[in-house]
């Protein structure tokens, strides 16, 4: 009988042999703290498979095979959880089959949208095209999974249109090796058919996020780490430019609800409308690197998949202390006492912030050392600095005391 630890070792070995291209992700110092095959790590993937409920996709499943090939070429180990959108029973099952064949592990659809994406009933349109798949060698299902309906209010619906209900997949799982429990949601936050205006949808999306997270908190109370991934049909910022006016849903989920945008936290960027929000620590993350918007017809989707290696360290390191600035005109030398990390993943790097021309603080340097020489300064100018520490799970410390210097 193979042990769970054996599964973890086999998974790391199999994927190291199978993966030919590794996604270039932000990798802070301390490889052991970010090892995706460690026993308390869970690799979560979210992907919108672009209308994988039509006849051609379901019958021929070539797009599912392309998705699995491109996914396994880029992630650092076999995924533990897949949060899929715009799929039905057949397409999500094909993903599970192809992924099982590719990795040697068994994947199963645990929250199944059924055979038809859109159903009409009692003057309501029910749109169900989200699914949750798990690696049953590394994860166990603690619930059968449930769908949460998100819909517009009657007052928000365009005259003459039905109320549209979009079903969002949720479930509770447990990582076999560590026993850590994760409440999961795969979401696609848009009403079918465009039955409400874009302006109304901005506010409605925040309401839907609140409903989904509230449902998970109520029904999956044993979960230490809630994670929500999917297509939110909105970017983080309402508009471009230097200042980001955050969308209502983003401000809510990363503010009052206490989730972290894991891909952004790990420095993987990505933009777009797809996210992995989590209450777990983020050890690594990335975005589909081979995607090209100009040739989407050759790919499985018009979305870039995202992945995050999550784990139990949610404790921030201590703030850097004893910040010292020295006049090395025309440069400034910085040094500080190293932070400590009670969460166990180790201090990985520091971010240095300095005042700009407008007096606002801006990130100017990321370093694994506890000192740095700033060569971007000028004689006769005054500068102010502070430092933030990050651990291997990308938890941010409180910022250090700020210090000012004139050179």
């Amino acid at each position: 009988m193979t042990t769970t630890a054996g599964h973890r070792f086999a998974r790391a070995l199999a994927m190291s042999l199978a993966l030919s291209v590794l996604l270039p992700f932000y990798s802070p110092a301390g490889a052991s703290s970010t090892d995706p095959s460690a026993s308390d790590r869970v690799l979560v993937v979210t992907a919108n498979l672009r209308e994988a409920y039509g006849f051609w996709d379901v019958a021929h499943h070539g797009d599912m095979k392309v998705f699995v090939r491109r996914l396994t070429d880029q992630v650092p180990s076999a995924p533990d959880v897949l949060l899929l959108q715009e799929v039905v029973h057949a397409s999500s099952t094909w993903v599970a089959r192809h992924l099982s064949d590719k990795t040697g592990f068994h994947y199963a659809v645990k929250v199944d949208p059924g055979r038809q994406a859109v159903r009409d009933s009692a003057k309501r349109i029910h749109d169900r095209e989200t699914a949750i798949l798990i690696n049953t060698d590394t994860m166990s299902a603690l619930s059968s999974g449930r769908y949460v309906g998100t819909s517009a209010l009657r007052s928000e619906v365009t005259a003459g249109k039905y109320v549209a209900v979009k079903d969002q997949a949720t479930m509770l799982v447990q990582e076999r090796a560590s026993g850590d429990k994760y409440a999961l949601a795969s979401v696609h936050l848009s009403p079918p058919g465009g039955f409400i205006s874009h302006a109304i949808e901005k506010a409605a999306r925040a309401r839907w996020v609140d409903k989904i997270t509230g449902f998970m908190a109520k029904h999956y109370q044993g979960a230490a780490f809630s994670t929500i991934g999917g297509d939110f049909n909105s970017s983080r910022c309402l508009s471009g430019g230097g200042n980001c006016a955050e969308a209502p849903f983003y401000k809510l989920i990363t503010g009052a609800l206490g989730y972290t945008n894991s891909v952004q936290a790990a420095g993987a960027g990505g933009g777009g409308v797809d996210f992995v929000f989590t209450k777990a620590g983020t050890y690594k993350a990335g975005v589909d690197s081979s995607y090209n918007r100009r040739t989407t017809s050759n790919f499985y989707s018009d979305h870039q998949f995202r992945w995050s290696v999550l784990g139990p360290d949610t404790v921030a390191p201590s703030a850097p202390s004893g910040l010292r600035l020295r006049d090395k005109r025309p440069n400034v030398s910085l040094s500080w006492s190293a932070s400590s990390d009670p969460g166990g993943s180790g201090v990985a790097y520091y971010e240095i912030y300095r005042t700009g021309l407008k007096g606002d603080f801006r990130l100017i340097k990321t370093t694994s050392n506890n000192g740095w020489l700033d060569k971007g300064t000028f004689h006769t100018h005054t500068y102010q600095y502070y430092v933030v520490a990050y651990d291997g799970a990308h938890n941010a410390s409180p910022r250090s005391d700020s210090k000012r210097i004139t050179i």
Side-chain angles (χ1 to χ4, degrees), residues 22-46:
L22 289 179
L23 178 65
F25 43 72
Y26 185 94
S27 181
S32 62
S33 68
T34 58
D35 181 4
S37 65
S39 63
D40 60 353
R41 306 290 191 267
V42 174
L43 197 162
V44 175
V45 175
T46 186

PDB file of all heavy atoms in Angstrom, residues 22-46:
ATOM      1  N   LEU A  22       9.439  24.988 -17.414  1.00  0.00           N
ATOM      2  CA  LEU A  22       8.955  25.522 -16.144  1.00  0.00           C
ATOM      3  C   LEU A  22       8.595  26.976 -16.311  1.00  0.00           C
ATOM      4  O   LEU A  22       9.327  27.744 -16.926  1.00  0.00           O
ATOM      5  CB  LEU A  22      10.032  25.388 -15.052  1.00  0.00           C
ATOM      6  CG  LEU A  22      10.292  23.960 -14.566  1.00  0.00           C
ATOM      7  CD1 LEU A  22      11.402  23.986 -13.513  1.00  0.00           C
ATOM      8  CD2 LEU A  22       9.043  23.333 -13.987  1.00  0.00           C
ATOM      9  N   LEU A  23       7.455  27.369 -15.745  1.00  0.00           N
ATOM     10  CA  LEU A  23       7.007  28.763 -15.809  1.00  0.00           C
ATOM     11  C   LEU A  23       7.937  29.647 -15.002  1.00  0.00           C
ATOM     12  O   LEU A  23       8.226  29.365 -13.853  1.00  0.00           O
ATOM     13  CB  LEU A  23       5.589  28.859 -15.248  1.00  0.00           C
ATOM     14  CG  LEU A  23       4.977  30.237 -15.179  1.00  0.00           C
ATOM     15  CD1 LEU A  23       4.797  30.771 -16.592  1.00  0.00           C
ATOM     16  CD2 LEU A  23       3.634  30.201 -14.472  1.00  0.00           C
ATOM     17  N   PRO A  24       8.471  30.727 -15.590  1.00  0.00           N
ATOM     18  CA  PRO A  24       9.320  31.638 -14.819  1.00  0.00           C
ATOM     19  C   PRO A  24       8.486  32.433 -13.824  1.00  0.00           C
ATOM     20  O   PRO A  24       7.710  33.281 -14.204  1.00  0.00           O
ATOM     21  CB  PRO A  24       9.920  32.557 -15.896  1.00  0.00           C
ATOM     22  CG  PRO A  24       8.969  32.491 -17.028  1.00  0.00           C
ATOM     23  CD  PRO A  24       8.350  31.127 -16.991  1.00  0.00           C
ATOM     24  N   PHE A  25       8.639  32.092 -12.543  1.00  0.00           N
ATOM     25  CA  PHE A  25       7.866  32.786 -11.525  1.00  0.00           C
ATOM     26  C   PHE A  25       8.800  33.520 -10.577  1.00  0.00           C
ATOM     27  O   PHE A  25       9.996  33.269 -10.559  1.00  0.00           O
ATOM     28  CB  PHE A  25       6.988  31.810 -10.732  1.00  0.00           C
ATOM     29  CG  PHE A  25       7.690  30.514 -10.360  1.00  0.00           C
ATOM     30  CD1 PHE A  25       8.664  30.495  -9.385  1.00  0.00           C
ATOM     31  CD2 PHE A  25       7.375  29.339 -11.015  1.00  0.00           C
ATOM     32  CE1 PHE A  25       9.298  29.331  -9.047  1.00  0.00           C
ATOM     33  CE2 PHE A  25       8.023  28.165 -10.672  1.00  0.00           C
ATOM     34  CZ  PHE A  25       8.974  28.155  -9.689  1.00  0.00           C
ATOM     35  N   TYR A  26       8.244  34.420  -9.791  1.00  0.00           N
ATOM     36  CA  TYR A  26       9.044  35.128  -8.792  1.00  0.00           C
ATOM     37  C   TYR A  26       9.481  34.128  -7.741  1.00  0.00           C
ATOM     38  O   TYR A  26       8.660  33.461  -7.132  1.00  0.00           O
ATOM     39  CB  TYR A  26       8.224  36.241  -8.149  1.00  0.00           C
ATOM     40  CG  TYR A  26       9.044  37.073  -7.199  1.00  0.00           C
ATOM     41  CD1 TYR A  26       9.654  38.235  -7.640  1.00  0.00           C
ATOM     42  CD2 TYR A  26       9.209  36.693  -5.883  1.00  0.00           C
ATOM     43  CE1 TYR A  26      10.409  38.997  -6.779  1.00  0.00           C
ATOM     44  CE2 TYR A  26       9.977  37.438  -5.022  1.00  0.00           C
ATOM     45  CZ  TYR A  26      10.571  38.597  -5.470  1.00  0.00           C
ATOM     46  OH  TYR A  26      11.317  39.335  -4.610  1.00  0.00           O
ATOM     47  N   SER A  27      10.752  33.960  -7.489  1.00  0.00           N
ATOM     48  CA  SER A  27      11.244  32.943  -6.561  1.00  0.00           C
ATOM     49  C   SER A  27      12.163  33.579  -5.538  1.00  0.00           C
ATOM     50  O   SER A  27      13.330  33.810  -5.810  1.00  0.00           O
ATOM     51  CB  SER A  27      11.988  31.851  -7.335  1.00  0.00           C
ATOM     52  OG  SER A  27      12.444  30.841  -6.460  1.00  0.00           O
ATOM     53  N   PRO A  28      11.662  33.876  -4.337  1.00  0.00           N
ATOM     54  CA  PRO A  28      12.506  34.437  -3.304  1.00  0.00           C
ATOM     55  C   PRO A  28      13.492  33.410  -2.774  1.00  0.00           C
ATOM     56  O   PRO A  28      13.388  32.221  -3.062  1.00  0.00           O
ATOM     57  CB  PRO A  28      11.505  34.850  -2.217  1.00  0.00           C
ATOM     58  CG  PRO A  28      10.353  33.952  -2.420  1.00  0.00           C
ATOM     59  CD  PRO A  28      10.277  33.716  -3.896  1.00  0.00           C
ATOM     60  N   ALA A  29      14.434  33.869  -1.974  1.00  0.00           N
ATOM     61  CA  ALA A  29      15.444  32.981  -1.417  1.00  0.00           C
ATOM     62  C   ALA A  29      14.806  31.939  -0.523  1.00  0.00           C
ATOM     63  O   ALA A  29      13.763  32.144   0.075  1.00  0.00           O
ATOM     64  CB  ALA A  29      16.460  33.801  -0.622  1.00  0.00           C
ATOM     65  N   GLY A  30      15.438  30.776  -0.418  1.00  0.00           N
ATOM     66  CA  GLY A  30      14.950  29.737   0.472  1.00  0.00           C
ATOM     67  C   GLY A  30      14.138  28.695  -0.257  1.00  0.00           C
ATOM     68  O   GLY A  30      12.931  28.622  -0.133  1.00  0.00           O
ATOM     69  N   ALA A  31      14.809  27.835  -1.053  1.00  0.00           N
ATOM     70  CA  ALA A  31      14.090  26.876  -1.887  1.00  0.00           C
ATOM     71  C   ALA A  31      13.259  25.909  -1.067  1.00  0.00           C
ATOM     72  O   ALA A  31      12.181  25.503  -1.472  1.00  0.00           O
ATOM     73  CB  ALA A  31      15.080  26.106  -2.751  1.00  0.00           C
ATOM     74  N   SER A  32      13.727  25.517   0.100  1.00  0.00           N
ATOM     75  CA  SER A  32      13.001  24.518   0.887  1.00  0.00           C
ATOM     76  C   SER A  32      11.643  25.022   1.327  1.00  0.00           C
ATOM     77  O   SER A  32      10.689  24.266   1.431  1.00  0.00           O
ATOM     78  CB  SER A  32      13.828  24.114   2.114  1.00  0.00           C
ATOM     79  OG  SER A  32      14.041  25.237   2.949  1.00  0.00           O
ATOM     80  N   SER A  33      11.531  26.318   1.580  1.00  0.00           N
ATOM     81  CA  SER A  33      10.265  26.866   2.050  1.00  0.00           C
ATOM     82  C   SER A  33       9.228  26.969   0.953  1.00  0.00           C
ATOM     83  O   SER A  33       8.051  27.154   1.215  1.00  0.00           O
ATOM     84  CB  SER A  33      10.484  28.249   2.671  1.00  0.00           C
ATOM     85  OG  SER A  33      10.863  29.177   1.670  1.00  0.00           O
ATOM     86  N   THR A  34       9.659  26.844  -0.324  1.00  0.00           N
ATOM     87  CA  THR A  34       8.730  26.974  -1.436  1.00  0.00           C
ATOM     88  C   THR A  34       8.590  25.681  -2.226  1.00  0.00           C
ATOM     89  O   THR A  34       8.050  25.684  -3.323  1.00  0.00           O
ATOM     90  CB  THR A  34       9.178  28.096  -2.381  1.00  0.00           C
ATOM     91  OG1 THR A  34      10.499  27.815  -2.850  1.00  0.00           O
ATOM     92  CG2 THR A  34       9.177  29.444  -1.687  1.00  0.00           C
ATOM     93  N   ASP A  35       9.070  24.566  -1.700  1.00  0.00           N
ATOM     94  CA  ASP A  35       9.031  23.287  -2.390  1.00  0.00           C
ATOM     95  C   ASP A  35       7.586  22.862  -2.626  1.00  0.00           C
ATOM     96  O   ASP A  35       6.862  22.571  -1.677  1.00  0.00           O
ATOM     97  CB  ASP A  35       9.760  22.244  -1.543  1.00  0.00           C
ATOM     98  CG  ASP A  35       9.783  20.876  -2.202  1.00  0.00           C
ATOM     99  OD1 ASP A  35       9.290  20.762  -3.355  1.00  0.00           O
ATOM    100  OD2 ASP A  35      10.275  19.924  -1.583  1.00  0.00           O
ATOM    101  N   PRO A  36       7.127  22.776  -3.904  1.00  0.00           N
ATOM    102  CA  PRO A  36       5.732  22.432  -4.156  1.00  0.00           C
ATOM    103  C   PRO A  36       5.382  21.005  -3.794  1.00  0.00           C
ATOM    104  O   PRO A  36       4.205  20.659  -3.662  1.00  0.00           O
ATOM    105  CB  PRO A  36       5.580  22.682  -5.663  1.00  0.00           C
ATOM    106  CG  PRO A  36       6.954  22.532  -6.208  1.00  0.00           C
ATOM    107  CD  PRO A  36       7.873  23.049  -5.124  1.00  0.00           C
ATOM    108  N   SER A  37       6.382  20.129  -3.628  1.00  0.00           N
ATOM    109  CA  SER A  37       6.100  18.742  -3.278  1.00  0.00           C
ATOM    110  C   SER A  37       6.088  18.507  -1.771  1.00  0.00           C
ATOM    111  O   SER A  37       5.891  17.388  -1.318  1.00  0.00           O
ATOM    112  CB  SER A  37       7.142  17.814  -3.926  1.00  0.00           C
ATOM    113  OG  SER A  37       8.437  18.060  -3.392  1.00  0.00           O
ATOM    114  N   ALA A  38       6.315  19.560  -0.970  1.00  0.00           N
ATOM    115  CA  ALA A  38       6.279  19.408   0.483  1.00  0.00           C
ATOM    116  C   ALA A  38       4.910  18.908   0.927  1.00  0.00           C
ATOM    117  O   ALA A  38       3.898  19.129   0.262  1.00  0.00           O
ATOM    118  CB  ALA A  38       6.608  20.741   1.154  1.00  0.00           C
ATOM    119  N   SER A  39       4.868  18.247   2.064  1.00  0.00           N
ATOM    120  CA  SER A  39       3.648  17.553   2.481  1.00  0.00           C
ATOM    121  C   SER A  39       2.504  18.472   2.851  1.00  0.00           C
ATOM    122  O   SER A  39       1.368  18.025   2.962  1.00  0.00           O
ATOM    123  CB  SER A  39       3.966  16.628   3.666  1.00  0.00           C
ATOM    124  OG  SER A  39       4.408  17.392   4.778  1.00  0.00           O
ATOM    125  N   ASP A  40       2.788  19.752   3.065  1.00  0.00           N
ATOM    126  CA  ASP A  40       1.704  20.666   3.436  1.00  0.00           C
ATOM    127  C   ASP A  40       1.428  21.699   2.343  1.00  0.00           C
ATOM    128  O   ASP A  40       0.914  22.770   2.611  1.00  0.00           O
ATOM    129  CB  ASP A  40       2.013  21.374   4.754  1.00  0.00           C
ATOM    130  CG  ASP A  40       3.296  22.203   4.688  1.00  0.00           C
ATOM    131  OD1 ASP A  40       4.000  22.122   3.660  1.00  0.00           O
ATOM    132  OD2 ASP A  40       3.586  22.919   5.661  1.00  0.00           O
ATOM    133  N   ARG A  41       1.733  21.352   1.099  1.00  0.00           N
ATOM    134  CA  ARG A  41       1.499  22.259  -0.017  1.00  0.00           C
ATOM    135  C   ARG A  41       0.336  21.754  -0.870  1.00  0.00           C
ATOM    136  O   ARG A  41       0.195  20.551  -1.100  1.00  0.00           O
ATOM    137  CB  ARG A  41       2.729  22.396  -0.906  1.00  0.00           C
ATOM    138  CG  ARG A  41       3.993  22.796  -0.159  1.00  0.00           C
ATOM    139  CD  ARG A  41       3.941  24.236   0.333  1.00  0.00           C
ATOM    140  NE  ARG A  41       5.241  24.649   0.810  1.00  0.00           N
ATOM    141  CZ  ARG A  41       5.641  24.567   2.074  1.00  0.00           C
ATOM    142  NH1 ARG A  41       4.828  24.078   2.989  1.00  0.00           N
ATOM    143  NH2 ARG A  41       6.845  24.966   2.424  1.00  0.00           N
ATOM    144  N   VAL A  42      -0.467  22.679  -1.372  1.00  0.00           N
ATOM    145  CA  VAL A  42      -1.586  22.351  -2.249  1.00  0.00           C
ATOM    146  C   VAL A  42      -1.499  23.243  -3.482  1.00  0.00           C
ATOM    147  O   VAL A  42      -1.512  24.464  -3.364  1.00  0.00           O
ATOM    148  CB  VAL A  42      -2.941  22.558  -1.535  1.00  0.00           C
ATOM    149  CG1 VAL A  42      -4.100  22.363  -2.509  1.00  0.00           C
ATOM    150  CG2 VAL A  42      -3.079  21.609  -0.349  1.00  0.00           C
ATOM    151  N   LEU A  43      -1.395  22.626  -4.651  1.00  0.00           N
ATOM    152  CA  LEU A  43      -1.303  23.389  -5.895  1.00  0.00           C
ATOM    153  C   LEU A  43      -2.700  23.518  -6.498  1.00  0.00           C
ATOM    154  O   LEU A  43      -3.315  22.530  -6.890  1.00  0.00           O
ATOM    155  CB  LEU A  43      -0.357  22.708  -6.881  1.00  0.00           C
ATOM    156  CG  LEU A  43       0.144  23.592  -8.045  1.00  0.00           C
ATOM    157  CD1 LEU A  43       1.391  22.976  -8.678  1.00  0.00           C
ATOM    158  CD2 LEU A  43      -0.894  23.821  -9.119  1.00  0.00           C
ATOM    159  N   VAL A  44      -3.188  24.754  -6.550  1.00  0.00           N
ATOM    160  CA  VAL A  44      -4.523  25.061  -7.061  1.00  0.00           C
ATOM    161  C   VAL A  44      -4.407  25.741  -8.412  1.00  0.00           C
ATOM    162  O   VAL A  44      -3.619  26.677  -8.572  1.00  0.00           O
ATOM    163  CB  VAL A  44      -5.291  25.969  -6.079  1.00  0.00           C
ATOM    164  CG1 VAL A  44      -6.642  26.386  -6.657  1.00  0.00           C
ATOM    165  CG2 VAL A  44      -5.484  25.259  -4.738  1.00  0.00           C
ATOM    166  N   VAL A  45      -5.177  25.269  -9.389  1.00  0.00           N
ATOM    167  CA  VAL A  45      -5.217  25.859 -10.731  1.00  0.00           C
ATOM    168  C   VAL A  45      -6.628  26.362 -10.999  1.00  0.00           C
ATOM    169  O   VAL A  45      -7.609  25.680 -10.683  1.00  0.00           O
ATOM    170  CB  VAL A  45      -4.847  24.823 -11.806  1.00  0.00           C
ATOM    171  CG1 VAL A  45      -5.011  25.415 -13.212  1.00  0.00           C
ATOM    172  CG2 VAL A  45      -3.433  24.306 -11.601  1.00  0.00           C
ATOM    173  N   THR A  46      -6.747  27.563 -11.575  1.00  0.00           N
ATOM    174  CA  THR A  46      -8.045  28.027 -12.043  1.00  0.00           C
ATOM    175  C   THR A  46      -7.947  28.301 -13.536  1.00  0.00           C
ATOM    176  O   THR A  46      -6.951  28.844 -14.016  1.00  0.00           O
ATOM    177  CB  THR A  46      -8.527  29.280 -11.292  1.00  0.00           C
ATOM    178  OG1 THR A  46      -9.859  29.600 -11.710  1.00  0.00           O
ATOM    179  CG2 THR A  46      -7.641  30.479 -11.541  1.00  0.00           C
TER     180      THR A  46
END
